[in-house]
Amino acid sequence: MTETLTMRRPDDWHLHLRDGAMLAGVLPETARHFARAIIMPNLVPPVVTGGDARAYRDRILAALPDGMAFEPLMTLYLTETTEPADMAAAHAEGLVTAVKLYPAGATTNSASGVRDLSRVMPVLEKMAEIGLPLCIHGEVTTPEVDIFDREKVFLDTVLDPLRRSLPELKVTLEHITTSDGISYVSNAPGDIAGTITTHHLMINRNHMLVGGIRPHYYCLPVAKRSTHQIALRKAATSGNPRFFLGTDSAPHTDETKESACGCAGVFSATNTLSCLAHVFEEEGALDKLEGFASLHGPARYRRPPNDDRITLAKRAAPTDYPAKIDTGAGPVTLFDPGHPLYWHVIA
Ligand code: DOR
Ligand code: ZN
């Protein structure tokens, strides 16, 4: 008998859709399964003002194929010149769901990010006042700090001091990759939550570096050692409502990934639910998948969970995913967990 799992339709609380031909190519991959997603603002130039967010939202909706439903939840890219009033107005009209903090230089298109947190305190104070969450790329960019330590150092030197000085601010620590991040989010007082990606549940740094360098596993924050991966899997499958799915599906063309200086990003939209069912089954926690993918995120963002359901089935034969998807911007390689996947969305 085929095993099946029916659950509320999931949402993705951290997604890169890009723009133009890439947007048109990748959007259906998410919209096929997910009802809503938090849309990252790191375009070139970034989505900084309410006007930018409205225009980008409209381009996303225009790129949605007929017959597909999808709600983009827009974010603003925090800069040192962000106007608190513009941001508050965009929030008041329901245009933006969160604001994104990229430390300058931390990752793809983060040059306009924040160098000095003290310069954005008026914006953060306004956000705390109106209840607008801050999504954080939690890595320091100090050249002396080893890339594998950048998340932990960020917790100690940036996040914790910030939250002590502004405890009312709602914070989402995104794409957690360390046991330190997990314990911070699990134990810290106040309004904090964390997202975990699909790929960080399935790979550690050995997968990326042993036997040859695999550029399609390179992302930021970079995958850490397996002890951290184990902590992420435990948190994601624990049922703790502070943790939920943000895939960080981040498409780059093969040409820009398979390069002497390859871009950071893993594209996982197409097979994310198959991957997650695999992980949750391995952890003996299939009953916790709905919480992680469909319930904890909406609760955090004070929205109802989706009304409709999706069904996954476990087949005897592995699901045949394409190695890459073709977009008008070029081919994009799909995340390959390195083993067959038997769970598949059937409805
Ligand atoms: O791997 C990543 N890719 N991490 C990020 O923070 C940004 C993202 C992208 O935009 O490609
Ligand atoms: Zn991201």
Side-chain angles (χ1 to χ4, degrees):
M1 212 185 74
T2 317
E3 249 184 286
T4 63
L5 173 66
T6 296
M7 61 183 213
R8 284 188 189 258
R9 184 173 296 283
D11 303 302
D12 184 351
W13 299 93
H14 182 138
L15 177 68
H16 297 267
L17 286 176
R18 317 299 189 203
D19 217 338
M22 181 66 92
L23 164 64
V26 300
L27 177 59
E29 302 303 299
T30 287
R32 194 176 297 134
H33 298 148
F34 292 87
R36 301 171 284 198
I38 289 251
I39 310 300
M40 286 297 121
N42 62 334
L43 304 182
V44 189
V47 178
V48 174
T49 65
D52 297 339
R54 183 179 301 104
Y56 186 31
R57 182 197 59 191
D58 293 348
R59 294 199 297 283
I60 295 168
L61 293 175
L64 192 64
D66 285 346
M68 274 189 158
F70 178 69
E71 185 185 356
L73 304 173
M74 306 309 293
T75 59
L76 297 183
Y77 185 121
L78 182 61
T79 73
E80 293 184 0
T81 55
T82 294
E83 291 284 343
D86 176 73
M87 182 207 63
H91 175 62
E93 69 172 276
L95 187 60
V96 302
T97 299
V99 171
K100 174 74 186 235
L101 167 64
Y102 286 106
T107 187
T108 311
N109 304 334
S110 62
S112 322
V114 174
R115 270 159 233 284
D116 178 357
L117 258 192
S118 69
R119 303 189 63 167
V120 295
M121 281 316 282
V123 185
L124 299 181
E125 281 159 12
K126 187 75 189 169
M127 290 171 61
E129 181 194 321
I130 64 181
L132 180 56
L134 182 68
C135 292
I136 298 186
H137 183 112
E139 288 191 288
V140 293
T141 55
T142 328
E144 299 74 48
V145 177
D146 188 275
I147 191 162
F148 291 102
D149 298 333
R150 288 180 172 197
E151 183 170 295
K152 158 112 179 83
V153 174
F154 185 90
L155 301 174
D156 298 340
T157 64
V158 183
L159 184 59
D160 194 55
L162 169 64
R163 296 193 64 253
R164 282 174 195 276
S165 71
L166 196 52
E168 308 80 24
L169 184 66
K170 289 167 79 80
V171 166
T172 305
L173 181 64
E174 301 199 280
H175 41 51
I176 300 172
T177 59
T178 59
S179 56
D180 312 279
I182 295 296
S183 50
Y184 188 84
V185 170
S186 302
N187 300 319
D191 203 333
I192 185 154
T195 61
I196 302 177
T197 76
T198 308
H199 51 282
H200 288 115
L201 293 173
M202 299 192 95
I203 61 162
N204 58 60
R205 63 194 192 182
N206 273 13
H207 296 94
M208 180 175 63
L209 295 171
V210 172
I213 185 159
R214 290 180 180 72
H216 295 290
Y217 288 161
Y218 174 63
C219 61
L220 289 169
V222 71
K224 309 298 191 295
R225 63 170 66 240
S226 74
T227 46
H228 294 292
Q229 184 195 2
I230 291 164
L232 300 179
R233 289 172 73 111
K234 197 163 161 242
T237 58
S238 67
N240 182 340
R242 285 191 174 190
F243 296 105
F244 49 90
L245 175 65
T247 66
D248 200 8
S249 180
H252 292 275
T253 61
D254 284 353
E255 192 188 355
T256 57
K257 291 287 293 174
E258 297 167 10
S259 145
C261 184
C263 293
V266 170
F267 174 70
S268 64
T270 312
N271 61 1
T272 271
L273 289 169
S274 293
C275 289
L276 291 173
H278 186 98
V279 167
F280 278 66
E281 183 177 49
E282 277 183 342
E283 298 292 326
L286 268 176
D287 61 322
K288 300 290 197 306
L289 180 56
E290 183 179 44
F292 181 71
S294 313
L295 301 177
H296 303 167
R300 160 91 185 136
Y301 283 90
R302 301 226 167 83
R303 285 162 191 265
N306 298 307
D307 272 334
D308 61 335
R309 308 291 198 270
I310 61 165
T311 298
L312 293 105
K314 188 181 182 186
R315 297 199 179 119
T319 306
D320 214 5
Y321 282 106
K324 44 191 79 189
I325 65 157
D326 281 315
T327 76
V332 173
T333 290
L334 177 62
F335 173 60
D336 174 4
H339 52 69
L341 294 167
Y342 298 95
W343 286 96
H344 183 77
V345 179
I346 55 166

